[in-house]
Amino acid sequence: MSLLHFSDAAARARREGVPLVALESTIITHGMPWPDNAETARRVEAEVRAAGAEPATIAVLEGRLCIGLADAQLEALARARGVAKLSRADLAVTLAAGRTGATTVAATMIAAHLAGIEVFATGGIGGVHRGAERSFDISADLHELAQTPVCVVAAGAKAILDLPATLEVLETLGVPVIAYRQDAFPAFWSRDSGLAAPLRMDSPAEIARALVMRRALGLPGGQLVANPIPREHEIPRAELTPAIEAALAEAEAGGISAKEVTPFLLQRIHELTGGRSLQANIALVLANARLAAAIARKLAALSPERIVEGGEND
Ligand code: PSU
Ligand code: MN
C-alpha cells in the first residue's frame, strides 16, 4: 500500500509536468467558520489554477495521507466539527490509527515534501506565542521550516504572536525570512509589523533561485516568503490592537492552551472585528496562492546547474 493518495487532478498534473502548489487544511477546519471556509478553499484552488499551477490541498482522511482533495472531500472536511489538528508530532499516530485530521503548516510541509511539492501557500504561520517564556508555546511550524525543504508563502505571522521573538527564533534556526517587494515584515492583517524583515526579494524568479541555491549549498530546510496583504484589504495595526488584546485576555482568563490557542484567538478576532478580519484573511490567502503559483512555475523552469553558473535572470 502506498503512503500517499493523490487526487485525480494532482496525479494528472504530475504526469503532465504541471507544477503543484500545496495548500493546508487546518485553515479550513480551524481557521475559518463554515461556509466561508469551504468557499475560500475553492477560491484558493481556482486562483492557483488560474495562475498556471495545480493546487493540492493536503489532509489525512481515515488514515490516508491525501495529496489533493476531490471537491466532495473538501466539502466534508469543511463541514465537519471537532476535526483533529495535526502537526509533526501527530501525523504518524493519526495515520496508523486510521483517523482523520487537518494538517497545519508543519504537517503540510512534511506531506508536500514526500509528494515532491516544493511550494506551499497558506495564510499565516504559527510562531512564538506571547508569554512563551512561561508557557513554552512555540509553534512546530518554525522547526519545520528549518528542516523540510518547502517554500512557504504566508502573509507573515499574526500580531497575536510575539513577532520579534518569532523572527529571532527563525534566525536562530537558519530560516530565510524573505519579505516580498517591501522592507517591513508583514503582520498578516496589516502590511507592516513595525519590524524590518531580515531579507527582501522582488520577483518570483529570484525567490525560486534562492530555494534552488539553498539546495545546492546542501542546507536543509525551506524558506518563508512573507507576502503583505493587498493594500485595499489591510486593516491598520492600530485598529486591530484592541481586538487582539481583548482576545488574548479572554484566552488567558479561560485557560485556553496548546493547540486551542490559535483557533480560539482567530475566531474571537473575527467576531470582535465584525467579520472584517475574516475578509482580510480571505484576501491575503488568495494573494499568497497567486504568488506561490508564480514561484512554482519559475522553479519548474530552473535547474541547479544554471543557478550555480549564475545564469538566467528574471
Ligand atoms: N494562521 C492562520 N490560520 C490558521 C493557522 C495559522 O492565519 O489556521 C493554523 C496553521 O495551520 C498553523 C497553525 O500551522 O495554525 C499553527 O498552530 P500552532 O500555533 O498551534 O502551532
Ligand atoms: Mn502551540
Side-chain angles (χ1 to χ4, degrees):
M1 196 189 77
S2 75
L3 182 60
L4 304 176
H5 294 265
F6 286 89
S7 65
D8 291 345
R12 188 178 332 115
R14 266 158 57 96
R15 276 197 310 276
E16 295 174 357
V18 177
L20 283 152
V21 170
L23 301 169
E24 61 153 313
S25 42
T26 294
I27 193 171
I28 302 173
T29 54
H30 294 70
M32 291 182 191
W34 167 267
D36 304 85
N37 58 351
E39 193 199 323
T40 304
R42 291 192 178 105
R43 285 178 66 192
V44 170
E45 292 199 346
E47 205 73 37
V48 171
R49 287 198 184 99
E54 179 64 26
T57 301
I58 290 174
V60 177
L61 302 182
E62 294 169 354
R64 289 154 64 106
L65 184 47
C66 297
I67 311 296
L69 299 181
D71 193 66
Q73 293 175 314
L74 192 149
E75 166 100 10
L77 197 64
R79 280 180 182 274
R81 295 189 174 258
V83 177
K85 173 178 160 187
L86 311 180
S87 190
R88 163 173 278 259
D90 314 292
L91 208 45
V93 167
T94 304
L95 287 166
R99 295 182 197 140
T100 290
T103 50
T104 61
V105 168
T108 304
M109 288 178 75
I110 293 169
H113 180 50
L114 286 170
I117 304 174
E118 295 174 293
V119 184
F120 164 21
T122 185
I125 61 157
V128 179
H129 281 268
R130 298 193 198 180
E133 64 277 15
R134 285 174 286 110
S135 67
F136 283 68
D137 190 350
I138 300 176
S139 178
D141 293 352
L142 303 183
H143 288 271
E144 206 59 54
L145 279 160
Q147 60 185 310
T148 303
V150 172
C151 180
V152 179
V153 181
K158 275 181 249 47
I160 55 174
L161 299 168
D162 183 334
L163 294 183
T166 299
L167 287 176
E168 289 293 348
V169 169
L170 286 165
E171 184 188 16
T172 301
L173 293 172
V175 177
V177 177
I178 305 165
Y180 187 60
R181 292 188 178 160
Q182 69 176 27
D183 296 322
F185 183 64
F188 201 73
W189 302 289
S190 319
R191 291 173 63 85
D192 186 350
S193 62
L195 302 165
L199 300 161
R200 166 185 174 150
M201 287 188 138
D202 291 327
S203 74
E206 279 182 305
I207 294 166
R209 282 203 299 276
L211 195 69
V212 177
M213 183 59 80
R214 200 172 161 83
R215 203 185 303 142
L217 289 168
L219 296 173
Q223 56 188 22
L224 175 63
V225 175
N227 184 30
I229 181 172
R231 214 173 287 280
E232 62 275 24
H233 295 286
E234 91 161 319
I235 309 177
R237 236 180 336 143
E239 274 177 53
L240 266 176
T241 303
I244 291 172
E245 298 297 337
L248 284 167
E250 284 178 35
E252 171 95 31
I256 307 291
S257 67
K259 283 171 183 282
E260 271 89 62
V261 175
T262 300
F264 176 86
L265 293 173
L266 279 177
Q267 190 197 329
R268 282 305 287 141
I269 292 166
H270 290 162
E271 289 162 3
L272 290 166
T273 61
R276 185 148 171 239
S277 71
L278 179 58
Q279 292 315 311
N281 197 342
I282 292 167
L284 67 85
V285 181
L286 292 170
N288 294 344
R290 281 193 291 279
L291 179 55
I295 295 167
R297 289 182 51 150
K298 289 292 179 187
L299 205 50
L302 284 176
S303 78
E305 296 73 28
R306 300 224 304 277
I307 285 279
V308 173
E309 285 160 14
E312 187 169 286
N313 267 309
D314 192 13

